[in-house]
Amino acid sequence: MSAQREHARDTQMLTAKAWRTRLQAGQAALRAAFEQSGSTANLLRQHCKLVDQLLRDIWQQSGMQAELCLIAVGGYGRGELFPYSDVDLLILLPDDADDSVNLALENLIGLLWDVGLAVGHSVRSLSECVEEARKDPTVQTNMLEARLLCGKAGRYRQFCAATQADPQPFFAAKMLEQQQRHARFNDTAYNLEPNIKESPGGLRDLQTILWIARSQNLGASWGALVEHGLISKQEGSLIRRHERHLQMLRIRLHYLANRREDRLVFDFQNDMARALGHVTSKRRRASEQLMYQFYRSAKFVILINEILLQLLHERLDPKQHEMLVINDQFQSHNGLLELRSYSLLQRRPAAILECFLLLQHPGVTGFSASLLRTLHRVKNLVNREFRQQAEHKALFLQILQQPSGVTHALTLMNRYGILGRYIPAFGRIIGQMQHDLFHVYTVDEHILNVLCNLRRYVMPEFAHEFPLCSQLFSQFDAPHLLYLGALFHDIAKGRGGDHSTLGAVDARRFCRLHGLSRDDSELVAWLVDMHLVMSSVAQKSDLSDPAVVEGFARRMGSERRLVALYLLTVADIRGTSPKVWNAWKAKLLEQLFVAAQRLLRGSQQSLDAEVTARQQKAQSILSHYGVMPAAYQPLWEQLGKSYFLRHDSTEIAWHSRLLLAHLKSGEPIVRARLSPGGDGIQTMIYTLDRDDLFARICGFFERIGYSILEAKVHTTRHGYALDSFLVLNPNDKNVRYRDLLNYIEYELTQRLQATTPVEGPLQGRLSRQVKHMPINSSIDIRGDGSSANHTLDIVVGDRPGLLSQIAHLFLQHDVHLLTAKVNTLGNRAEDTFLITGKNGQRLSDETMALLREELNTRF
């Protein structure tokens, strides 16, 4: 019996090889035809025909029972089969099917996979289909797009009748599904690596419309919606054009990846741009032109999705509810703003801005479908003449000055194409890519995220996130100036030159034209010009150095400017990417803010007074542990003034308590704790100083997958290294910290006791973002005129072993590290090192030149 089965299997494999050859030949011919003609519709249709005929022939040869039905469902059932998409099948059984049917179907599905079809299949009876459709809207949707391939037509008709969706619950289920899907993509189409199928504005948004229309017996095509009066012929034509564009991008993405791939990742953007004939120009890269066209289609799809889902919902519940007259021009219906006269916006263009001002009216949640259509039609009225009208300027400022709804209004102004026309400079950065490896959104989307972050400061429910920011914002006298600073801070991206300087010119001109006072205009322009300064100083400079804080405070000029810049900086960093912000950055910014604020208030104190204040706070902390001054005074005498300036009182107390009995320890002392600041692990290393110490520590943390955020390296008067490292692994969400801290303490101690040569830097592959979006590396070494110290700034694409490579170069050239600030922004590393020569001597010009040359060569 076994031999018979093996013979049958061998025979099936021979048959599968023939089917596979036929399938591959057909797919190759389709690909060649597509590359020549570019016809999206033809490829999708002919691919379906190819697979249809293959399945019918295999079904017939397999001798399947006549009582069974082979049904195409999902996208395949819809007649859209992308090159590497799954072939979704439903095999409909009679209720009395026996085990022999199941065995035959197992062989069939195995054969289909052997042929090379990525089959997604379900095997159900009619009653099981009805039950599954009732429980799962996704199953219901798949069945809604069913198409009979083989089997009894009568049974198929029974299936269609029994699984017809109930319009109201189906609408609710699809709306919830869309909301959840959009949330997975942060409710934006403007990610730099969007999902063509699933992102807001993707193909799935168009499919959702047609699914709901089909459930309401309105047909399953855009032509059917035209016939039922839901869209005009012109709208139907526009929808089809943008749909074909998205389909074309998805097809090409599948072919480039040679697999099912729906994300337009950096790896494929350049190749696809070339294939579509885009050529890099002075203003935009070829890939940017490709993405700009994608964002245009996505923006239109978002608009049409909103309009049609509203109209389809109204068909389910056509009764008039909650009609509220707002004024002579506007009314609200079920919370949606409507025009009381269809010609209002043409007759009185100021009403275009009034629409967005009324979004802040109680009970108004959005715009009606008719108003959206009208706005889309008349947006060209927002032109140069419109922008010069005093009434319109006043209305725009009123939108910014409202107590609530500012972000909502500006977001919708951007979505519906009004904001970019009212501020032309903003219009030029809509869909503008950012090639800096840490922004994950387009420029316009980032700006709106920054605005949203500023607005969060005013909301009581978010006061716990940033208590200091919420307090400062509530006391700031003109929040609308901060919003203008946010609107313009990146508005000059992509023009060439310093975008801060160019944006400040735009901001000053805008404020002057809108009648702002000279002081207010200068504040907005100054914010735009300085918006990168605070983060740079906080994350790259030694904040324990009074000269650094004094220089920063002088640049601020006043406490009002300092507050405004601090609020904008926190909002800006948080708006770049969900992964960039952390508690370490928050602590540095707050530390710099508080220190500068104290100076601007005239509370400057001498270095000796600062050291005394920190020591007194540390003494107070230690006294709570019953530690008397006599116990730690010998340690403090060996630490020196620079240690107390570089560490805060809590760190001083922690180090002191741990080292009471280890002043002259012959063994390394390693202790780790969760960072009091929130994110990461703080690790103290105390050991006899040695040249390769920094390289060994870096190598250890890199090999366990932790990034070093900050390193404070201090050498005591009696020749010991007292180093403090803040490390973080953003991917470790479920780690058991007690075990991890013990592991770090034990394993790092073992590494430091080893007498073997230091391990070489960790070698690993560059991330695909760094590989496909390289940045110009920047290496800068500058001396400090008042000391023997030098500052080394390195800006490069992040990579495995980066810090170890730098540490090995320091070791090779006898460079001694004082402090390191390692700032990783997504896939971009911006690291700053305070260095000196051996024994505290100044680095020679020859050493600096060699160091600079080797860093440039490696990175």
Side-chain angles (χ1 to χ4, degrees), residues 135-146:
K135 291 190 302 185
D136 189 340
T138 303
V139 174
Q140 172 83 77
T141 306
N142 271 355
M143 293 180 181
L144 203 62
E145 298 186 299

Side-chain angles (χ1 to χ4, degrees), residues 186-239:
N186 297 315
D187 290 306
T188 179
Y190 297 99
N191 294 297
L192 299 190
E193 296 184 303
N195 188 303
I196 297 173
K197 179 182 176 185
E198 302 282 350
S199 289
L203 288 166
R204 187 66 86 203
D205 280 3
L206 293 174
Q207 291 159 7
T208 298
I209 297 168
L210 293 179
W211 290 332
I212 293 172
R214 189 193 291 250
S215 75
Q216 296 182 21
N217 295 316
L218 297 173
S221 68
W222 304 116
L225 297 192
V226 171
E227 290 176 8
H228 283 89
L230 271 81
I231 55 177
S232 66
K233 285 185 178 180
Q234 182 184 16
E235 287 172 330
S237 177
L238 276 173
I239 294 170

Side-chain angles (χ1 to χ4, degrees), residues 53 79 156 166 171 180 192 200 212 257 300 308 360 454 457 514 528 561 575 621 666 671 734 758 763 774:
Q53 193 56 55
Y156 171 70
D166 185 344
F171 180 90
Q180 293 171 338
L192 299 190
I212 293 172
F300 177 80
L308 286 177
Q360 297 155 336
L454 284 171
Y457 300 151
H514 281 72
V528 175
R561 285 189 167 187
I621 296 170
R671 296 292 182 268
N734 301 312
V758 63
Q763 298 298 319

Side-chain angles (χ1 to χ4, degrees), residues 138-373:
T138 303
V139 174
Q140 172 83 77
T141 306
N142 271 355
M143 293 180 181
L144 203 62
E145 298 186 299
R147 185 166 53 86
L148 181 64
L149 296 173
C150 302
K152 295 184 67 172
R155 187 178 297 279
Y156 171 70
R157 286 193 294 270
Q158 284 181 317
F159 161 80
C160 291
T163 56
Q164 177 63 33
D166 185 344
Q168 286 203 331
F170 185 75
F171 180 90
K174 299 319 287 184
M175 289 297 291
L176 176 61
E177 183 183 274
Q178 177 169 291
Q179 290 167 8
Q180 293 171 338
R181 174 168 52 82
H182 286 184
R184 293 202 307 272
F185 299 95
N186 297 315
D187 290 306
T188 179
Y190 297 99
N191 294 297
L192 299 190
E193 296 184 303
N195 188 303
I196 297 173
K197 179 182 176 185
E198 302 282 350
S199 289
L203 288 166
R204 187 66 86 203
D205 280 3
L206 293 174
Q207 291 159 7
T208 298
I209 297 168
L210 293 179
W211 290 332
I212 293 172
R214 189 193 291 250
S215 75
Q216 296 182 21
N217 295 316
L218 297 173
S221 68
W222 304 116
L225 297 192
V226 171
E227 290 176 8
H228 283 89
L230 271 81
I231 55 177
S232 66
K233 285 185 178 180
Q234 182 184 16
E235 287 172 330
S237 177
L238 276 173
I239 294 170
R240 281 189 289 269
R241 191 180 81 194
H242 287 290
E243 182 180 44
R244 282 194 297 271
H245 180 227
L246 296 177
Q247 288 173 335
M248 177 273 295
L249 293 177
R250 191 180 178 207
I251 289 169
R252 290 190 176 275
L253 196 50
H254 280 208
Y255 282 144
L256 280 171
N258 285 316
R259 65 178 187 274
R260 177 177 172 173
E261 175 61 83
D262 295 329
R263 292 180 310 140
L264 196 45
V265 294
F266 298 136
D267 309 51
F268 303 120
Q269 289 177 11
N270 289 325
D271 290 339
M272 189 180 292
R274 273 193 298 272
L276 292 173
H278 296 296
V279 179
T280 296
S281 65
K282 288 184 179 180
R283 185 160 180 259
R284 277 187 174 164
R285 301 183 186 187
S287 59
E288 289 178 331
Q289 297 167 39
L290 166 79
M291 296 307 297
Y292 179 74
Q293 291 185 351
F294 166 80
Y295 295 129
R296 282 189 63 187
S297 288
K299 191 167 192 173
F300 177 80
V301 169
I302 289 171
L303 176 64
I304 208 68
N305 175 269
E306 185 175 355
I307 290 172
L308 286 177
L309 290 183
Q310 268 193 43
L311 295 175
L312 290 167
H313 183 247
E314 288 173 6
R315 290 179 68 90
L316 290 175
D317 187 14
K319 294 179 290 185
Q320 297 291 314
H321 296 293
E322 301 180 27
M323 183 70 73
L324 174 66
V325 174
I326 295 175
N327 56 35
D328 291 342
Q329 287 84 37
F330 296 95
Q331 62 191 24
S332 107
H333 178 208
N334 293 335
L336 300 177
L337 193 67
E338 293 181 338
L339 300 174
R340 301 190 69 188
S341 165
Y342 288 114
S343 62
L344 173 65
L345 301 187
Q346 292 94 324
R347 289 187 289 103
R348 188 170 171 271
I352 294 173
L353 292 180
E354 287 177 1
C355 293
F356 297 96
L357 186 59
L358 289 173
L359 277 174
Q360 297 155 336
H361 190 279
V364 174
T365 58
F367 293 161
S368 69
S370 61
L371 178 51
L372 289 176
R373 277 184 161 137

Side-chain angles (χ1 to χ4, degrees), residues 627-640:
V627 182
M628 296 296 102
Y632 52 80
Q633 205 60 45
L635 173 67
W636 282 19
E637 288 174 359
Q638 299 298 331
L639 293 178

Side-chain angles (χ1 to χ4, degrees), residues 695 761 794 803-815 850-851 853-856 858-859:
I794 299 177
L803 208 53
S804 283
Q805 292 181 54
I806 296 170
H808 277 261
L809 282 176
F810 289 169
L811 185 60
Q812 178 183 339
H813 293 288
D814 288 332
V815 172
L850 285 172
L851 189 60
E853 181 182 351
E854 289 206 40
L855 287 168
N856 277 315
R858 293 195 184 200
F859 309 123

